[in-house]
Amino acid sequence: MGDRVVQGRMAADADGEVVVFMIGMRINRLRAVRSWLPVARAMPRMLKELAREPGAGLLGFQLVNGGPRVFTVVQYWESREKLYAYASDPDKEHRPAWAAFNRRARDGKGSVGIWHETYVVPAGAYTTLYNCMPPTGLGAAHGVVALGRRGAERDVPVSAAQNAA
């Protein structure tokens, strides 16, 4: 996601189904660094791996900081199938990180918490609006298009790559 502001009213250039995956962690015991540090390091490794493999299905992501102990990543995927395929692939970063987390979680101390939610939004069941903003969220993942005067007409596509500069 770039910082270049796109002037005017825009909408995400997405059509069809949208898959939103939200994942986060909460540090419950700050001093239990051995419990939460591996979790905190795992997500950047996964995102780097996915960035190297565009066919894996990750379209874009946005980091959200919920405070000093809570971290969230909102991800946009091509399909639920590609998300699940990545998550279950034993040769990718996710499976070993998930197994390691589960082993550490058995200590019963709850030093770190994790959560995730997957939303499959049918075509036509979402709306987007960006006004004088850099492409953000779904607009960063799919690119943006200008909205007409009433907001109903889509006009000129502005690709995500053009706005990354």
Side-chain angles (χ1 to χ4, degrees):
M1 178 173 62
D3 291 329
R4 184 173 161 255
V5 172
V6 177
Q7 294 298 320
R9 293 167 39 93
M10 301 286 167
D13 191 16
D15 57 357
E17 183 175 272
V18 170
V19 178
V20 181
F21 179 66
M22 298 174 55
I23 186 166
M25 67 172 274
R26 182 180 191 281
I27 300 170
N28 296 326
R29 295 180 58 223
L30 285 173
R31 292 185 179 175
V33 176
R34 289 185 190 157
S35 293
W36 60 259
L37 188 59
V39 178
R41 288 182 171 166
M43 184 55 67
R45 282 196 317 269
M46 288 181 238
L47 292 171
K48 285 178 186 172
E49 176 179 65
L50 286 161
R52 288 190 305 267
E53 300 178 28
L58 180 67
L59 299 174
F61 67 91
Q62 186 167 347
L63 304 174
V64 181
N65 186 341
R69 294 177 179 227
V70 179
F71 304 91
T72 301
V73 181
V74 179
Q75 301 176 0
Y76 300 91
W77 285 78
E78 285 180 30
S79 69
R80 175 179 29 197
E81 292 76 23
K82 286 193 174 188
L83 169 62
Y84 291 170
Y86 175 75
S88 62
D89 189 331
D91 297 324
K92 302 296 182 195
E93 289 284 342
H94 177 265
R95 282 289 296 277
W98 179 243
F101 172 81
N102 283 320
R103 281 192 303 275
R104 282 188 305 278
R106 287 189 197 119
D107 71 6
K109 295 178 184 174
S111 301
V112 62
I114 63 167
W115 64 276
H116 67 79
E117 300 173 356
T118 304
Y119 301 95
V120 179
V121 187
Y126 54 89
T127 60
T128 60
L129 172 68
Y130 314 96
N131 193 0
C132 297
M133 285 283 299
T136 302
L138 195 59
H142 285 275
V144 295
V145 293
L147 286 175
R149 291 184 67 132
R150 295 185 194 157
E153 302 86 24
R154 292 176 150 211
D155 297 325
V156 184
V158 181
S159 75
Q162 288 173 307
N163 292 299

